């Protein structure tokens, strides 16, 4: 910003006017672009762009993103940065003008985790040089992941996770896994028991900044219909707040997390889940600090190893793996549809209820109020239904991306398209996660309040999951007949009489849920 002085001096290199643009999911002071510039040495931009409305995001998601960004701008300002938070219809209408106003030679950004964000930035007509700095919000860099993936025939999370444990020295004793095993998953699959009483999850009251954002979102939602409710809003919107649920999880919830991580209980949406993913994915918490705090807790008190390992697996394993795969597979992954699933999404996904299935309506009802479900609700209730009913994977992935407060493109491509829907033909998951009503009955309390019977695949009380599960096997029997982890299920199908199989086909065909009230649905992600 002292260009003229520098240019007039023959002995000094010309001083370059540099600005930093912090993207909405990069809200940590140590992010690479911010860290490259001393506070006050250049202007810092944060953008509240209404272009994100094209995705039709859940209101809680929009409030969380925008409120966290406004709070972060205020914190940067206190730390001495020259910050501007601009509210604008789109980046194109704000950023080039901001660059010109500051007469910048160089605009620095940290590499976004989502491809679409980088594409959108590069499409801007910027009157300065654009400099990308490597994303430092993941433990594995993209190059390190690519090196690990090399030309392995199969990329499996379990082997990646073990390598991560060694590489970052997590839960090791003399180089060996603590407790003698890498994986305690088998101890973490208990079905619901009577009288489960999880400690209540920490929620926050909306302050003046959040209240103003809620009012803005409600104003926008009156013109562009947005799903879900914006009130009550209880998510943390600052790093200081996000540390509280982390502390609470380590003190009160970690021990119960392992055994009860797969259960689903009516009226208990949180159970022992940490609910830290929205904060990790926005940058309010860092994955390395959460891992160290977990290990530290185990040195301070007795923590069940299965719970500790199960939680570390989510962060050091799944989170890093899905991010690494997203970039390793590249844009070609997005359009995959190995099972040729073409069914449109049903209307109840847009109204967030009204399916008539107790499990689905419970999960969607909780989603409507919070923008959140825990991982088994997402995988085994919603993704499972999408898989066995044959909903189009791209439309399903876009729906998930729009509706969850922790959803970003890098999270949802691999989790929904790959793990949930097997649209990548098994590049990520070793088998499709297809299950009948029997699984939901075993792992939840939902079926007790349902008009359907999970045991029945045909007839007036047939559970849609059970009909569709057998219908899924029937449709794809040829594909899975020799599959190592699916062949047994195909053999079970082939034991059914022809009359039974055609009864299943009829039951599946009779399921009519109605189309989305607004056929447009969410659009592609934008910056
Ligand atoms: Fe869901 Fe079927 Fe159980 Fe009803 S009976 S709650 S539809 S799994």
């Amino acid at each position: 910003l002292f260009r003229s002085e520098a240019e007039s001096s023959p002995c000094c290199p010309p001083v370059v006017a540099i600005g930093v643009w912090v993207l909405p999911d990069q809200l940590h002071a140590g992010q690479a672009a911010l860290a490259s510039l001393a506070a006050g040495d250049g202007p810092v931009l944060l953008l509240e762009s209404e272009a994100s409305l094209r995705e039709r995001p859940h209101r809680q998601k929009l409030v969380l993103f925008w409120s966290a960004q406004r709070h972060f701008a205020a914190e940067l300002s206190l730390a001495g940065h020259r910050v501007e938070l601009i509210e604008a219809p789109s980046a194109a209408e704000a950023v080039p003008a901001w660059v010109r106003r500051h007469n910048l030679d160089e605009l620095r950004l940290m590499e976004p985790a989502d491809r679409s964000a980088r594409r959108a930035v590069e499409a801007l007509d910027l009157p300065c040089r654009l400099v990308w700095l490597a994303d430092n919000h993941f433990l594995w860099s993209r190059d390190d992941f690519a090196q690990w993936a090399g030309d392995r025939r199969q990329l499996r999370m379990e082997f990646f996770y073990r390598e991560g444990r060694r590489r970052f020295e997590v839960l090791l004793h003399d180089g060996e896994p603590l407790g003698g095993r890498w994986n305690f998953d088998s101890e973490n699959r208990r079905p619901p028991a009577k009288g489960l009483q999880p400690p209540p999850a920490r929620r926050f009251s909306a302050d003046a900044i959040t209240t103003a954002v809620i009012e803005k979102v409600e104003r926008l939602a009156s013109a562009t219909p947005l799903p879900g409710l914006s009130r009550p809003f209880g998510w943390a919107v600052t790093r200081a707040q996000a540390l509280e649920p982390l502390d609470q999880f380590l003190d009160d919830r970690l021990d119960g997390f392992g055994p009860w991580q797969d259960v689903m209980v009516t009226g208990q949406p949180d159970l022992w889940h940490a609910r830290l993913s929205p904060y990790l994915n926005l940058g309010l918490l860092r994955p390395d600090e959460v891992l160290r705090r977990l290990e530290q807790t185990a040195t301070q008190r007795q923590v069940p190893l299965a719970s500790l390992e199960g939680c570390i697996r989510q962060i050091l394993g799944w989170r890093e793996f899905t991010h690494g795969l997203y970039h390793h597979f590249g844009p070609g992954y997005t359009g995959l549809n190995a099972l040729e699933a073409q069914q449109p999404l049903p209307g109840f996904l847009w109204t967030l209820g009204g399916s008539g299935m107790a499990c689905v309506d419970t999960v969607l009802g909780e989603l409507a109020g919070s923008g959140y479900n825990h991982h088994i609700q997402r995988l085994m209730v919603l993704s499972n239904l999408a898989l066995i009913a044959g909903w189009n994977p791209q439309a399903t992935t876009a729906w998930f991306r729009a509706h969850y407060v922790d959803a970003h493109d890098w999270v949802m491509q691999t989790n929904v398209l790959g793990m949930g829907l097997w649209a990548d033909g098994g590049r990520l998951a070793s088998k499709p996660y297809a299950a009948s009503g029997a699984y939901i009955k075993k792992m939840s309390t939902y079926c007790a309040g349902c008009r359907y019977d999970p045991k029945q695949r045909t007839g007036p009380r047939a559970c849609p999951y059970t009909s569709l599960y057998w219908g899924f096997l029937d449709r794809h029997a040829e594909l899975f007949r020799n599959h190592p982890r699916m062949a047994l299920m195909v053999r079970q199908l082939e034991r059914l009489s022809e009359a039974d199989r055609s009864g299943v086909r009829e039951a599946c065909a009779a399921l009519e849920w109605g189309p989305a009230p607004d056929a447009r649905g969410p659009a592609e992600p934008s910056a």
Side-chain angles (χ1 to χ4, degrees), residues 21-28 31-33 107-124 130-138 140-142 281-282 319 323-324 326-327 408-411 525-527:
W21 180 5
V22 176
L23 297 177
D25 58 349
Q26 302 179 342
L27 307 184
H28 57 106
Q31 68 104 302
L107 181 61
R108 288 186 188 168
L109 289 96
M110 186 170 82
E111 181 84 41
D114 282 357
R115 271 188 296 275
S116 54
R118 177 161 176 157
R119 270 202 310 269
V121 172
E122 284 175 337
L124 295 173
L130 201 55
V131 172
W132 296 102
L133 293 141
D135 186 351
N136 62 1
H137 193 52
F138 289 87
W140 284 75
S141 72
R142 292 174 203 179
N281 294 351
L282 283 181
R319 184 171 189 277
H323 174 256
Y326 172 76
H327 289 288
H408 302 256
D409 198 46
W410 68 267
V411 181
S526 54

Side-chain angles (χ1 to χ4, degrees), residues 98-396:
W98 182 80
V99 169
R100 268 192 289 275
R101 187 148 44 83
H102 289 281
N103 205 16
L104 296 183
D105 299 301
E106 181 175 309
L107 181 61
R108 288 186 188 168
L109 289 96
M110 186 170 82
E111 181 84 41
D114 282 357
R115 271 188 296 275
S116 54
R118 177 161 176 157
R119 270 202 310 269
V121 172
E122 284 175 337
L124 295 173
D125 187 15
L126 290 174
C128 72
R129 187 171 58 241
L130 201 55
V131 172
W132 296 102
L133 293 141
D135 186 351
N136 62 1
H137 193 52
F138 289 87
L139 294 159
W140 284 75
S141 72
R142 292 174 203 179
D143 287 346
D144 285 348
F145 187 93
Q147 216 169 42
W148 172 82
D151 44 17
R152 281 166 200 257
R153 206 169 57 81
Q154 283 198 317
L155 302 174
R156 291 288 173 248
M157 199 287 282
E158 183 60 33
F159 299 112
F160 170 80
Y161 167 64
R162 290 179 191 181
E163 175 58 27
R165 293 262 299 270
R166 288 193 197 95
R167 189 173 288 218
F168 300 102
E169 297 182 11
V170 178
L171 280 194
L172 291 185
H173 180 68
D174 289 341
E176 293 300 316
L178 207 64
R181 281 154 53 195
W182 293 103
N183 184 328
F184 290 82
D185 248 8
S186 56
E187 291 165 38
N188 286 344
R189 292 195 190 115
R190 283 200 219 163
K194 274 210 166 72
L196 287 181
Q197 284 200 320
R202 178 80 172 92
R203 283 180 169 75
F204 299 86
S205 305
D207 64 5
I209 292 178
T210 302
T211 303
V213 174
I214 290 174
E215 284 163 6
K216 174 175 172 176
V217 168
E218 286 303 313
R219 223 174 26 251
L220 292 168
S222 61
T224 306
L226 299 174
L229 305 169
S230 59
R231 293 190 178 93
F233 181 87
W235 293 102
V237 289
T238 63
R239 172 171 164 77
Q241 284 184 341
L243 287 166
E244 287 187 43
L246 172 61
D247 288 341
Q248 191 212 23
F249 176 70
L250 298 173
D251 290 345
D252 303 338
R253 308 172 77 81
L254 174 59
D255 297 17
F257 170 76
W260 309 115
Q261 66 173 288
D262 283 3
V263 307
M264 298 174 280
V265 179
T266 309
Q268 294 190 3
D270 307 326
L271 293 158
W272 281 266
H273 291 274
R275 293 163 52 98
L276 297 178
S277 52
Y279 313 134
L280 279 164
N281 294 351
L282 283 181
L284 298 178
L285 296 178
R286 297 181 55 86
D288 51 338
E289 77 178 320
V290 176
L291 289 176
R292 293 304 161 208
R293 292 286 310 278
L294 280 161
E295 283 201 301
Q296 204 178 37
T297 303
T299 64
Q300 291 162 348
R301 67 177 181 82
Q302 196 77 23
V303 176
L305 186 53
S307 283
L308 186 65
E309 189 280 313
C311 187
I312 285 174
R313 167 183 299 270
Q314 295 294 325
I315 298 165
L316 182 57
W318 280 114
R319 184 171 189 277
E320 294 290 327
F321 188 57
T322 53
H323 174 256
L325 283 183
Y326 172 76
H327 289 288
H328 183 66
F329 289 154
Y333 193 79
T334 307
L336 296 178
N337 189 354
L339 297 174
E340 296 178 11
Q342 297 300 359
Q343 292 300 317
L345 304 193
F348 61 73
L349 282 188
W350 307 102
T351 49
L352 298 180
S355 75
M357 295 175 273
C359 52
V360 172
D361 288 341
T362 304
V363 170
L364 291 179
E366 290 170 2
L367 174 65
S370 65
Y372 184 86
N373 294 131
H374 68 71
H375 68 273
I376 291 297
Q377 294 175 309
R378 299 189 210 193
L379 181 66
M380 298 312 293
V381 177
L382 298 178
S383 288
N384 177 25
L385 186 60
L387 170 72
I388 58 182
W391 299 346
N392 175 267
Q394 282 67 39
T396 307

Side-chain angles (χ1 to χ4, degrees), residues 355-362 380-381 385 435-441 444-456 461-466:
S355 75
M357 295 175 273
C359 52
V360 172
D361 288 341
T362 304
M380 298 312 293
V381 177
L385 186 60
S436 71
Y439 176 89
I440 295 174
K441 179 170 168 30
S444 80
T445 59
Y446 299 150
C447 299
C450 188
R451 70 184 196 212
Y452 299 116
D453 177 353
K455 288 203 201 74
Q456 296 188 32
R461 292 199 62 228
C463 163
Y465 280 84
T466 306

